[in-house]
Amino acid sequence: MTQQTPSVVRTRFAPSPTGFLHLGGARTALFSWAYARHHQGVFVLRIEDTDVERSSQQAVDAIIDSMAWLGMQPDEGPFYQMQRMDRYREVLAGMLQAGTAYHCYSSPEEVEAMREAARARGDKPRYDGTWRPEPGKTLAPIPEGRKPVIRFKNPQGGATTWVDLIKGPISFDNTELDDLIIARPDGTPTYNFCVVVDDMDMAITHVLRGDDHVNNTPRQINILRALGATLPQYGHVPMILGPDGQKLSKRHGAVNVMEYDKEGYLPEAMVNYLARLGWSHGDDELFTREQLVQWFDADHLSKSASQWDPKKLNWVNAHYIKQMPEAELAERVAPRIVARGGDPRAVDLPAALALLKDRAETLEQLAEGAMLFCGPYRSAPTELAEQHLTPAAREALAAFASQAQGAEWTKEGIAALIKAVLAERGLKMPQLAIPLRVAVTGRAQTPAVDAVLALLGKETVLARLSAL
């Protein structure tokens, strides 16, 4: 079986749908996607769903939704391994015929005994090749009624070596690799075998994946060579650590990627932040998706583990919120306001978000802030009212309301009106601004009071002041 060397870069992301897409998987997908895009290549999505008991359609949907949210649509796929079983059986039959694979009738108990014996000798525990056919070797009679596994006939001498795109030269002595099971007794192929056939059939040229796969790579290379296939280039990305230096887990935020959407993170910010976890372009911390594609290469992928930093993610997200045009921001925030029971049409939402966005780190914070304008009005709690709506403050508010009738209701006009009342009554800014906030919004703290009153509208403001 031979394969033509493709002239175009082809990468793949191959998650198992046994759970949602988490941060490590999302970063692997991003690096594979960016590498393909940088080289004007093809990005393939492959769903490795052979673990039937643990795989679910819900997990498949979550993976696809997460990738769509991050803007990483595949050029080909998704392909499903369970739909390729006939192809795997075809390749297995060809390998048995070619002598690069063989039936093994050793029971699991017998294999464990072989491993225990090896441990006792101080050797690496492994299958001892009892059923491996060799010239001049006589195999034992086939045990009656026992279904065999199929094992790959791994080379017994030399070393399997490759130059990793990230880690550099890596070598495994073939004597360290026993004859891998590539099909179970019921005939279903195993993970490492399916991966090899898929990478061969899909003409994958570059495999970027987590460094937990390093030990799989020599096995996959040897099977590919046995099939006469062109080898992809491999790059193994170090893991992501939590802020405490331990392996990233749920307590650090290693949750379903779509949870970050719910929490109000922008996909643009998540792509930017994930890319910097293990890749760099000089000192650039902030860059667009287009710049990522333009700059991305394997030379600047880090050999060391990266550390998840929620504060840094918030900083990146805040940057993207500040940079986003208010009209586009309003489209993204409006559904979150509705979910809170607010009405985004109750105010000039882009103008309100322009007022709020410099202090917000997430869309959820923006939506919560916008409820000042879009949510139902709630008068100040008694304790707050008693503290700030004193008789003197009420007199100042009455003067403000009286002069407001003829005032120009703009931020600038309201600012001038406030200054006039302060001068007239010999007050300092907090002595009017805080009571205004408490009376009109029910809160002691808001953005600039003149801007808030302008957005609420004269009719609303005067109605709330008259209700005191």
Side-chain angles (χ1 to χ4, degrees):
M1 190 176 295
T2 59
Q3 179 189 38
Q4 295 298 314
T5 303
S7 58
V8 65
V9 165
R10 293 175 61 86
T11 67
R12 48 81 159 176
F13 177 53
S16 298
T18 53
F20 301 114
L21 182 62
H22 296 274
L23 296 170
R27 184 190 63 167
T28 298
L30 178 63
F31 286 174
S32 299
W33 173 86
Y35 194 86
R37 289 288 174 271
H38 177 77
H39 292 282
Q40 293 83 49
V42 176
F43 175 57
V44 178
L45 175 61
R46 188 169 77 218
I47 306 296
E48 298 187 340
D49 56 349
T50 55
D51 187 345
V52 177
E53 289 185 3
R54 296 175 59 221
S55 296
S56 71
Q57 187 59 46
Q58 182 184 15
V60 171
D61 294 342
I63 289 167
I64 292 173
D65 289 346
S66 297
M67 292 182 65
W69 180 65
L70 292 168
M72 296 189 296
Q73 285 82 358
D75 302 301
E76 296 179 10
F79 299 106
Y80 296 86
Q81 287 185 331
M82 287 302 294
Q83 297 174 7
R84 288 175 46 77
M85 286 296 154
D86 288 346
R87 172 59 178 156
Y88 302 140
R89 293 188 184 99
E90 175 191 355
V91 177
L92 284 167
M95 292 179 70
L96 287 168
Q97 187 174 5
T100 55
Y102 61 93
H103 288 114
C104 168
Y105 292 89
S106 296
S107 68
E109 294 77 18
E110 289 167 345
V111 173
E112 184 55 36
M114 297 172 195
R115 290 173 174 160
E116 285 298 330
R119 288 189 189 98
R121 295 191 304 270
D123 296 336
K124 184 173 181 178
R126 51 180 292 159
Y127 169 69
D128 68 3
T130 295
W131 291 92
R132 179 181 172 119
E134 300 288 2
K137 178 180 180 180
T138 302
L139 300 177
I142 295 174
E144 187 175 347
R146 186 179 295 177
K147 291 184 177 179
V149 298
I150 299 177
R151 288 185 183 271
F152 170 61
K153 198 174 183 183
N154 195 75
Q156 291 188 315
T160 300
T161 303
W162 75 96
V163 179
D164 197 271
L165 291 168
I166 299 166
K167 296 178 177 295
I170 298 178
S171 184
F172 283 76
D173 193 321
N174 282 326
T175 59
E176 295 290 304
L177 308 172
D178 58 5
D179 288 353
L180 180 71
I181 295 174
I182 56 176
R184 301 177 184 89
D186 64 1
T188 58
T190 58
Y191 165 78
N192 274 302
F193 178 75
C194 294
V195 168
V196 165
V197 177
D198 291 342
D199 285 347
M200 176 180 70
D201 287 355
M202 297 172 191
I204 300 302
T205 63
H206 296 77
V207 174
L208 295 174
R209 57 187 178 187
D211 62 4
D212 53 331
H213 286 281
V214 166
N215 289 335
N216 290 326
T217 302
R219 299 182 180 280
Q220 293 174 11
I221 286 175
N222 284 337
I223 299 173
L224 283 165
R225 284 176 172 155
L227 293 169
T230 301
L231 300 182
Q233 294 185 58
Y234 294 92
H236 292 89
V237 185
M239 69 173 64
I240 303 173
L241 302 178
D244 56 2
Q246 301 300 308
K247 184 178 179 181
L248 194 65
S249 65
K250 286 185 178 180
R251 73 178 185 276
H252 301 121
V255 295
N256 178 5
V257 166
M258 295 308 289
E259 285 297 316
Y260 287 93
D261 177 31
K262 291 180 185 176
E263 291 173 12
Y265 291 89
L266 294 166
E268 298 91 334
M270 184 60 78
V271 164
N272 188 151
Y273 182 70
L274 279 176
R276 284 290 288 114
L277 289 176
W279 173 84
S280 61
H281 182 266
D283 294 327
D284 292 299
E285 292 286 352
L286 299 165
F287 41 81
T288 65
R289 186 187 305 267
E290 291 72 26
Q291 286 172 317
L292 170 63
V293 168
Q294 179 185 346
W295 295 338
F296 193 87
D297 58 25
D299 295 340
H300 293 92
L301 287 166
S302 175
K303 293 180 172 65
S304 56
S306 50
Q307 201 158 29
W308 180 257
D309 183 351
K311 292 181 180 177
K312 184 69 169 291
L313 173 60
N314 287 350
W315 176 78
V316 173
N317 204 56
H319 165 80
Y320 278 88
I321 285 174
K322 290 182 181 73
Q323 296 298 311
M324 184 170 287
E326 283 82 13
E328 183 179 349
L329 202 55
E331 290 179 8
R332 303 203 192 191
V333 173
R336 298 173 188 272
I337 294 171
V338 172
R340 284 171 163 74
D343 180 5
R345 299 166 299 178
V347 70
D348 179 347
L349 188 56
L353 296 180
L355 183 62
L356 298 165
K357 71 178 187 176
D358 282 351
R359 297 183 181 183
E361 291 184 330
T362 69
L363 298 182
E364 282 293 282
Q365 290 177 7
L366 268 182
E368 186 59 36
M371 291 297 284
L372 174 68
F373 307 103
C374 304
Y377 169 66
R378 294 184 177 88
S379 57
T382 302
E383 185 178 340
L384 192 65
E386 288 177 350
Q387 180 183 355
H388 294 290
L389 300 181
T390 61
R394 288 173 182 269
E395 287 181 14
L397 292 175
F400 175 88
S402 174
Q403 295 181 38
Q405 300 290 347
E408 179 188 0
W409 205 255
T410 61
K411 181 177 182 294
E412 294 75 19
I414 295 167
L417 172 58
I418 290 172
K419 284 183 180 178
V421 174
L422 294 177
E424 177 186 296
R425 306 189 74 80
L427 301 173
K428 295 182 179 179
M429 177 64 81
Q431 292 175 292
L432 178 57
I434 294 177
L436 263 175
R437 287 188 173 96
V438 172
V440 176
T441 72
R443 311 178 189 187
Q445 293 182 327
T446 69
V449 67
D450 48 7
V452 169
L453 298 185
L455 280 167
L456 285 170
K458 181 187 288 190
E459 185 178 337
T460 296
V461 171
L462 293 183
R464 292 178 185 177
L465 288 174
S466 67
L468 288 176

